[in-house]
């Protein structure tokens, strides 16, 4: 079975502070991990995926297979980063099915 | 703009009724997935269609069914509605079965009273 856990439902930081949104997963195979973001009144959209190893809007995430984690980090948070963030897993074997965590609401204060 | 549109945006139904939700996928996308998102939860996979055939199903009862049509349209049908079916229903399309990116619609908010 597979499971995605986001331990923090709410996270608040001040502008310019570092931010880390935690994501842990359980899956015995080789997963693909994603971060999706939903800004206020907008649809869910892909932020980044571990296989591309890219930085989007200053965010990075590293897949740590030993700790089964895929934490999302940004060194200097901006007010426009305030949004709901979802960590998601796809089993490497098949289909496009995504398993989502419950989400973390990030608020960046000015 | 991702190009995935869902209709209607909001819907209120009575327990026991049937509902049909619609999705128009992005052009060129052969795969459509449906998710249910209850309040305060992440989206949960209902099922996926690839080239008009069901291609995977989550832990939902048979009263949740779907269809995918040519020209990138699809629908989700729910029979015998229950109060717990109240949720945001999301449609997501992608280019292939294991394509890297899924594009989501804005969702349909279903309320069952």
């Amino acid at each position: 079975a597979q499971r995605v856990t986001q331990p923090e439902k709410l996270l608040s930081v001040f502008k310019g502070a570092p931010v880390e949104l935690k994501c842990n997963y359980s899956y015995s195979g080789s997963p693909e991990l994603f971060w999706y973001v939903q800004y206020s009144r907008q649809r869910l959209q892909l932020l980044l995926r571990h296989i591309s190893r890219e930085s989007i809007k200053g965010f990075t995430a590293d897949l740590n297979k030993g700790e089964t984690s895929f934490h999302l980090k940004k060194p200097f948070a901006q007010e426009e980063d305030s949004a709901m963030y979802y960590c998601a897993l796809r089993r490497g074997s098949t289909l496009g099915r995504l398993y989502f965590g419950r989400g973390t609401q990030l608020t960046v204060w000015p | 703009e991702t190009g995935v549109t869902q209709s209607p945006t909001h819907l209120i139904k009575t327990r026991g009724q049937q509902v049909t939700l619609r999705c128009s996928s992005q052009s060129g996308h052969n795969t459509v997935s449906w998710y249910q998102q209850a309040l305060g939860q992440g989206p949960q996979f209902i099922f996926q269609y690839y080239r008009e055939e069901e291609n995977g199903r989550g832990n939902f009862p048979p009263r949740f069914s779907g269809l995918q049509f040519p020209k990138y349209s699809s629908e989700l049908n729910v029979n015998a509605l229950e109060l717990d079916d109240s949720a945001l229903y999301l449609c997501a399309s992608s280019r292939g079965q294991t394509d890297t990116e899924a594009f989501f619609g804005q969702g349909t908010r279903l309320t069952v009273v």
Side-chain angles (χ1 to χ4, degrees):
Chain A
Q2 56 289 308
R3 186 170 184 167
V4 177
T5 303
Q6 293 179 252
E8 303 136 331
K9 196 169 184 179
L10 303 170
L11 184 63
S12 295
V13 299
F14 284 101
K15 176 183 173 180
V19 63
E20 180 179 73
L21 291 86
K22 291 184 168 51
C23 172
N24 290 91
Y25 67 91
S26 62
Y27 177 56
S28 56
S30 295
E32 292 182 63
L33 274 297
F34 305 83
W35 278 99
Y36 279 81
V37 61
Q38 187 167 29
Y39 300 102
S40 180
R41 300 179 188 276
Q42 294 188 27
R43 62 191 65 198
L44 201 60
Q45 58 186 285
L46 179 65
L47 179 62
L48 55 79
R49 67 197 81 170
H50 88 272
I51 58 173
S52 59
R53 303 184 66 83
E54 57 192 347
S55 172
I56 304 294
K57 299 185 179 182
F59 284 98
T60 59
D62 290 318
L63 179 60
N64 186 323
K65 291 187 177 180
E67 295 183 359
T68 60
S69 68
F70 188 58
H71 303 327
L72 183 67
K73 301 176 184 179
K74 185 170 183 177
F76 307 103
Q78 303 299 315
E79 290 177 69
E80 55 265 30
D81 296 328
S82 295
M84 179 68 85
Y85 291 81
Y86 294 95
C87 181
L89 175 152
R90 182 166 71 201
R91 297 183 304 195
S93 57
T94 185
L95 305 180
R97 174 178 183 171
L98 293 166
Y99 297 86
F100 286 88
R102 67 171 179 173
T104 297
Q105 177 68 51
L106 173 66
T107 301
V108 181
W109 300 104
Chain B
E1 186 63 33
T2 65
V4 181
T5 57
Q6 293 184 242
S7 62
T9 54
H10 297 82
L11 198 54
I12 299 175
K13 287 286 190 178
T14 303
R15 189 172 51 182
Q17 285 188 312
Q18 179 267 343
V19 69
T20 297
L21 310 181
R22 294 183 172 82
C23 172
S24 177
S25 304
Q26 192 159 333
S27 179
H29 287 189
N30 294 316
T31 301
V32 64
S33 302
W34 286 90
Y35 291 83
Q36 181 196 66
Q37 186 174 17
L39 202 60
Q41 302 296 320
Q44 281 202 354
F45 178 78
I46 303 174
F47 42 56
Q48 182 186 67
Y49 280 79
Y50 175 67
R51 292 187 173 176
E52 302 166 35
E53 291 194 7
E54 188 178 293
N55 192 26
R57 189 176 184 91
N59 190 25
F60 281 82
R63 60 190 184 83
F64 284 78
S65 64
L67 287 170
Q68 186 183 23
F69 305 102
K71 302 297 183 186
Y72 313 118
S73 68
S74 58
E75 62 183 40
L76 163 67
N77 298 288
V78 187
N79 294 320
L81 283 166
E82 301 177 0
L83 297 180
D84 286 348
D85 296 332
S86 295
L88 181 68
Y89 288 85
L90 298 170
C91 164
S93 75
S94 55
R95 203 171 287 276
Q97 287 182 274
T98 57
D99 190 64
T100 52
E101 184 167 0
F103 292 87
F104 283 82
Q106 81 282 10
T108 293
R109 173 71 63 187
L110 173 64
T111 303
V112 182
V113 296

